[in-house]
Amino acid sequence: MNGDYNAATASGRSPLPPGEPVLEVRDLHVEFRTRRGTLRAVNGVSWSLEPGETLAILGESGSGKSVSAQAIMGLIDSPPGFITEGEIRFRGEDLFALSEDRRRRIRGDGVAMVFQDALTALNPVFSVGWQIAETYRVHRGTSKREAYAKAAELLDRVGIPSAHERLNSYPHEFSGGMRQRAMIAMALALDPEVLIADEPTTALDVTVQAQIMDLLTELRSELGMGLVLITHDLAVVAENADRVAVMYAGRIVEEGTVSEVFTEPAHPYTLGLMHSIPPLHRRVAALDPIPGTPPNPARIPPGCPFHPRCAFARQHCREVEPPLERVGEGRASACHYWEEVKGGE
Amino acid sequence: MFQYALRRLLISIPVIALATFIIFGAVTITGDPLQELRQAPNITQEQIDQIRESRGLDQPFYVQYWRWVTDIPTEGFGDYLISPRPIWPDLQRVMGNTLQLVIAAEVLAFVVAIALGTISAKRQYSVFDYATTTISFFGYSMPSFWFALILQLIVVQIFFATGVRIFPIANLSSADPGTGLAFVLDRMHHLVLPVISLAIFSIASYSRYMRASMLEVINSDYVRTARAKGLREGKITTRHAMRNALIPTITVAALSFGTLMSGAIVIETVFGLDGMGRYFILQLGRRDPYPIMAWLTVVAVIIVIFNLIADLVYGYLDPRIRYD
Ligand SMILES: Nc1ncnc2c1ncn2[C@@H]1O[C@H](COP(=O)(O)OP(=O)(O)OP(=O)(O)O)[C@@H](O)[C@H]1O
Ligand code: SF4
Ligand SMILES: [Mg+2]
């Protein structure tokens, strides 16, 4: 039953050549063909993730964060969703070129995902222990007992008290924070190389949010996995990420290390986001401080998609779409006038 | 789970008690139970008085009810009014026959409907989906006796054309059904057409519910999670999706059990089966209230038992129900 991918991972993965990203997204385009027209949810997103690194994907609601993550995991329902362009490489292997079966084996094993709302993301009719053990059994083909032992170990690892007794509990018997912990335990079952966390704390109370983020960062450094942290919370980015990619209307508009992007934004959108943080770095629940609203993905404006809301915009911006260009060591911006933005503050 | 089961069981007891009260009340207030007897030519007033007394008909209503209901466990349902024969053996026989028909139809309907509903949902808007939708619409709107007659007609035509009797179109057994396995096979052979005719409506109705709940479930977050875990698509459907989608479908099936029972009465008439339907109509004609009350009580108990089974299955499938 075990294919070659399993055999390789079970006996420890071969090390990546130095400098090689573990996950790479290149020019990804995703659209949804609906009755109300074609929604361009993701329009040419590229980024890469080094092993053990935390990359934050920051953006307003509807900017295409979740859709790009789902494209990586192969979770986009088609129809209505179509990946029209681009490639995704995991350890150098083009995921779209793989057979469905090999892709399936990578899911959960090489790349795992934690979802926003653990209450709906866990199956209500199976016990938490069973759901964690299932991941293990499906990929590793171990006995039920062994898988349950592993599940107890994982629950304990994510900080669920008396983990062994809680194995038979159902999701509705857990608190929100515990459910998200269980979700994380499930994602970590196979010791993945990359964990994608899609707004893992937005459904939780503020106090619990910090605990879950701490747990994620701790586990990331302990297990040495790469973390893609999807969020719209600037504070979460500032506290947990190494690098950040800012998304707007299905594109990356700026990318760089967290400290550089936060201190010296090179895109008017990022600049607007920074101005939205109240002084003393207080946490903001949602960000919409920039005048106007993000474009409808069915009608993205021509030229620079940000131009209707941009204080720097001029005629050129309405006509020519700015490409994502290198603007320094490990930094990129998709603005014609990035120098002006970066220089003048 | 045990506590849940016990609770459901305890709730059914007052339900059945209430049902017997309503049945007794409704049948007694509809008239004098001895009316038919009085008009019989060769019966004396003395005899009538004697029956009246022995049945306690001179007592107040609640005494009569209490007497009737407390006698059920020990005496079955007593004797027929006119002939001194016990009701229970007859009722037991027809009930057994009807239950064979109804349970077979329910099981067939459930299994077929789950398969159809699941496949339709998985291939929404496919030819298969449209075809089952159309056929279900027919199954839903046509009366079951019509299907029964059509099936009989087809079988008869085949007999005329080829001389082969594929299925019997009447009775529950052959003239000489044999014993043991031969008897069972003969019975199954006789039940094929009645069961199909009876199941068609339920297949149409349950499969619609299954399709709808399956569609909802396959777009749920936990199915997406199952996919993200790297499960095979088949496993996702049969394990994660189906288990959840079955919950509303089971409720519908349980609530429709009464409808199925009434459908059975019609089907029994069409196929001339010695079941509860024919028995009921026979006793109505005789104007004897005792077998009628017995019949109504038995039907109430059967429906309560099936609801209880549905509750248990429900509790097994959905832990959220089980524990609160
Ligand atoms: N299944 C779908 N069918 C149609 N449109 C979809 C579907 N999934 C996503 N979209 C559209 O794609 C766009 C991007 O959605 P996405 O979920 O990626 O946003 P997001 O950045 O994750 O936002 P949020 O912060 O609200 O989670 C949205 O406009 C959304 O309406
Ligand atoms: S390209 Fe023009 S419109 Fe777009 S962000 Fe830069 S300045 Fe603003
Ligand atoms: Mg999202």
Side-chain angles (χ1 to χ4, degrees), chain A residues 49-63:
Chain A
L49 181 78
E50 305 295 322
E53 169 188 49
T54 301
L55 171 72
I57 304 207
L58 177 69
E60 278 169 299
S61 187
S63 55

Side-chain angles (χ1 to χ4, degrees), chain A residues 120-121 123 131 134-135 139, chain B residues 221 224-225 229-230 239-240 244:
Chain A
T120 56
N123 195 324
Q131 294 186 58
E134 185 190 30
T135 315
H139 285 271
Chain B
D221 286 1
R224 190 188 55 191
T225 306
K229 279 160 84 170
R239 222 187 237 163
H240 286 261
N244 283 278

Side-chain angles (χ1 to χ4, degrees), chain A residues 253 266-269 303-314 316-318 320-322 333-338 340-341:
Chain A
V253 292
H267 192 282
Y269 178 64
C304 174
F306 189 57
H307 81 249
R309 303 170 74 188
C310 181
F312 295 79
R314 49 203 84 166
H316 186 51
C317 304
R318 288 179 196 104
V320 182
E321 185 180 342
S333 166
C335 173
H336 294 305
Y337 306 107
W338 64 269
E340 203 176 307
V341 178

